[in-house]
Amino acid sequence: ALLKVCAKQKDLRRGSRIHRDLAEQGLLEKNVYICSSLISMYAKCGALLKAQEVFEYFRFRNGIAWNAIITGYTQHGYGEKALKYFERMLCEGMCPDIVTYLCVLKACGSIKAADKGQEIHATIVGEGNMLVNNPMVGTALVDMYAKCGLLGKSQEIFDKLSVRDVVAWSAIITAYAQHGNGVEALKRFEQMQREGVSPNAITFVSVLKACGSIRASYTGQEIHAKIASEGFLRKDIVLGTALIDMYGKCGLLEKAQEVFDQLPSRDVISWSALIAGYTQFGYDTEALDCFEQMKREGVSPNAITFASILKACGNQGILDKGQEIHLEIVRDGLLEKDVMVGNALLDMYGKCGFLTKASELFDEMLVRDVISWTTLIAGYVTHEHGNKAVNCFDQMQLEGVSPNVATFACTLKACGSTGAKDKGREIHEMIIKEFLHKDIVIGNALMDMYAKCGLLTKSHSMFESFVVRDVVAWTVVI
């Protein structure tokens, strides 16, 4: 009982002291339940190495001990280790129970191990109706498939659930919201209410995310009124932050500020949501003011805060402030940990025209993704260094990084500015099968490149081939 209290309060010091007392009294070897309680206590306190040490010490382990170590690794984001212990459990002849399956399905979702998840699903089906028809197991399957990106499978499982409670509904709504399908998320929310299931805080957070993604501000305001009437905002900062984020993405920044000012407490996530909203719609001065106020109130920025505020610095061309933030990022060790922050710095230096520094930073980055390369290429293009942009594109391919739509669009612009029609044709060959008939941005960029290289017939024939023509396409051809 004492170990359970320590686990609940995350009191590692007292739990360790109880461990020592048990060892001195010779009680550890005699009771497998004490062993399981120790593993659980250490795992819940985040001391996973100690939990593993205790687990390996005992030769006789019951299902509770196995569940404790698997749960510990799952809850702290070590999905691969959780699955390894699950495999060991099976090899040692132990039978998983509902708790085990719930944990390993969560582990599969966390590391997007879809194949393993499907294998476990098949095992659950083989176990019979008791597991298949368990609402918790069904919801865990919905969540696992969703996190692995298999939304069709997730919906299929959801539709077969005999009981659909608020947890199950929240899982399917969250699935659509997290994968950018706000319309479908809102449809499920309406269906949930028609079936008489009351939303909880988790449901509301996902629905607000969906509203923000499709800028459904009217629906978002209706949900805000419902949340306020049920008293959720007084006790849940996560919901308050979701509202700020939704209003920010819908461009209703006065409403976002109003919600922010009414929060009983404000953490780095709520500050970052407000700053991101201001930056997204070009209110860079307000974003910078928020950033300074946040620091005055003793809240330390995180990677998302830095990325947003660097965007504001770049938009305004405030190089001094950007360099000051760069030093802060280096001091916090974020460049080594987060490629998003490195990309934001690259973008800031590029927009400020400090391309030498952008190039130096790029060379120092330990991890560079397609966004890193595209940001550097865009910087060169913006400041009319077309040859450098094309060279950068070639180097990117040599290093095995596949370009995306934005990379192609930027590089085609560089080809147009330098009259590099041969390179432009080469890039056209690369993208014609994959992008041309799917993405109007690429089509417009190709038209523009051919036009600037003097190949007007080619540019016009492309225009004639477009199924959809937007104002950019017409402007380019004119």
Side-chain angles (χ1 to χ4, degrees):
L2 283 173
L3 287 170
K4 200 170 183 179
V5 171
C6 292
K8 189 175 181 180
Q9 297 179 348
K10 293 185 170 49
D11 190 345
L12 182 59
R13 185 178 297 178
R14 183 174 294 178
S16 299
R17 196 158 56 237
I18 292 169
H19 185 182
R20 284 196 300 272
D21 291 343
L22 289 167
E24 287 170 5
Q25 294 174 38
L27 295 173
L28 290 182
E29 287 77 9
K30 299 176 183 177
N31 195 321
V32 70
Y33 294 102
I34 289 177
C35 156
S36 303
S37 298
L38 271 172
I39 296 165
S40 180
M41 182 275 296
Y42 280 124
K44 286 179 179 174
C45 290
L48 294 173
L49 288 176
K50 195 68 182 172
Q52 183 179 319
E53 181 186 311
V54 174
F55 181 86
E56 300 297 348
Y57 176 78
F58 290 92
R59 285 186 301 163
F60 303 102
R61 297 181 284 250
N62 62 2
I64 300 170
W66 282 102
N67 285 344
I69 194 71
I70 291 169
T71 302
Y73 279 119
T74 302
Q75 287 178 339
H76 291 278
Y78 295 95
E80 289 181 1
K81 284 197 172 185
L83 292 175
K84 282 179 182 176
Y85 272 94
F86 176 64
E87 292 299 326
R88 274 184 62 186
M89 178 184 186
L90 297 177
C91 288
E92 293 189 20
M94 294 295 301
C95 293
D97 58 15
I98 286 177
V99 175
T100 323
Y101 284 123
L102 293 177
C103 285
V104 293
L105 287 171
K106 186 176 180 181
C108 289
S110 70
I111 60 172
K112 295 179 172 50
D115 291 343
K116 187 65 183 175
Q118 288 176 308
E119 183 185 311
I120 292 167
H121 184 185
T123 304
I124 289 169
V125 171
E127 294 282 341
N129 288 335
M130 189 182 80
L131 276 177
V132 173
N133 296 328
N134 185 287
M136 288 191 296
V137 174
T139 301
L141 283 164
V142 170
D143 185 61
M144 182 273 293
Y145 280 121
K147 284 178 178 164
C148 291
L150 301 173
L151 290 180
K153 191 69 178 173
S154 186
Q155 182 68 57
E156 182 188 319
I157 300 293
F158 179 80
D159 291 339
K160 290 177 181 175
L161 291 178
S162 54
V163 177
R164 301 194 293 211
D165 60 8
V166 64
V167 181
W169 278 105
S170 297
I172 195 67
I173 291 167
T174 301
Y176 284 111
Q178 285 181 339
H179 285 85
N181 199 334
V183 173
E184 290 299 322
L186 292 180
K187 282 181 182 176
R188 300 304 177 281
F189 180 63
E190 289 169 8
Q191 187 184 350
M192 170 189 178
Q193 292 179 100
R194 284 197 300 272
E195 293 190 14
V197 181
S198 298
N200 62 15
I202 294 169
T203 325
F204 283 129
V205 167
S206 293
V207 173
L208 287 168
K209 184 181 178 74
C211 290
S213 70
I214 59 172
R215 297 191 179 179
S217 58
Y218 183 76
T219 304
Q221 288 178 86
E222 284 184 336
I223 292 164
H224 183 181
K226 188 173 179 64
I227 290 168
S229 69
E230 295 184 15
F232 277 112
L233 283 179
R234 290 192 295 272
K235 50 193 174 185
D236 199 316
I237 190 174
V238 176
L239 255 180
T241 301
L243 274 167
I244 294 164
D245 183 64
M246 182 274 295
Y247 281 128
K249 285 176 178 166
C250 291
L252 300 176
L253 296 165
E254 286 185 9
K255 289 290 289 183
Q257 184 71 59
E258 184 184 312
V259 173
F260 181 82
D261 292 339
Q262 291 172 0
L263 289 179
S265 62
R266 303 185 294 215
D267 61 7
V268 64
I269 302 172
S270 49
W271 278 103
S272 298
L274 184 62
I275 290 168
Y278 278 127
T279 306
Q280 184 180 347
F281 286 91
Y283 292 91
D284 302 309
T285 303
E286 287 81 356
L288 288 160
D289 289 343
C290 276
F291 182 68
E292 294 303 324
Q293 187 185 344
M294 170 187 172
K295 292 202 290 184
R296 282 196 298 273
E297 293 190 14
V299 180
S300 297
N302 63 13
I304 294 169
T305 329
F306 281 128
S308 294
I309 209 65
L310 285 167
K311 184 177 180 181
C313 292
N315 290 343
Q316 293 292 308
I318 309 172
L319 181 59
D320 291 347
K321 186 65 183 175
Q323 289 178 305
E324 181 188 312
I325 292 167
H326 187 173
L327 290 174
E328 200 172 334
I329 288 167
V330 170
R331 189 169 62 246
D332 291 349
L334 279 174
L335 270 183
E336 291 79 17
K337 302 174 193 172
D338 202 307
V339 69
M340 178 180 67
V341 174
N343 292 342
L345 273 168
L346 277 176
D347 183 62
M348 183 274 296
Y349 281 125
K351 284 177 178 170
C352 290
F354 204 174
L355 296 174
T356 304
K357 186 65 180 176
S359 181
E360 287 174 7
L361 173 67
F362 182 82
D363 291 338
E364 291 168 6
M365 288 172 68
L366 299 177
V367 178
R368 300 185 299 217
D369 60 9
V370 63
I371 299 171
S372 315
W373 286 96
T374 305
T375 303
L376 185 60
I377 291 168
Y380 284 133
V381 172
T382 302
H383 295 280
E384 299 181 359
H385 294 279
N387 290 326
K388 285 188 177 181
V390 172
N391 290 339
C392 196
F393 177 78
D394 290 339
Q395 185 62 36
M396 172 186 180
Q397 290 181 288
L398 287 173
E399 294 194 17
V401 180
S402 297
N404 62 17
V405 171
T407 324
F408 282 126
C410 285
T411 311
L412 287 168
K413 190 173 181 181
C415 293
S417 69
T418 58
K421 58 187 177 185
D422 291 339
K423 187 66 183 179
R425 285 194 184 104
E426 182 187 317
I427 292 171
H428 190 173
E429 289 298 318
M430 289 172 61
I431 64 179
I432 193 166
K433 292 179 183 177
E434 190 172 354
F435 289 114
L436 185 58
H437 300 295
K438 300 176 186 177
D439 198 293
I440 196 166
V441 174
I442 287 285
N444 291 341
L446 278 163
M447 270 180 64
D448 186 58
M449 181 274 295
Y450 281 125
K452 284 178 177 167
C453 289
L455 302 173
L456 296 177
T457 305
K458 182 67 176 172
S459 181
H460 189 261
S461 67
M462 287 200 63
F463 177 79
E464 293 295 338
S465 71
F466 288 172
V467 178
V468 178
R469 299 164 183 158
D470 63 3
V471 65
V472 178
W474 282 102
T475 303
V476 169
V477 80
I478 290 167

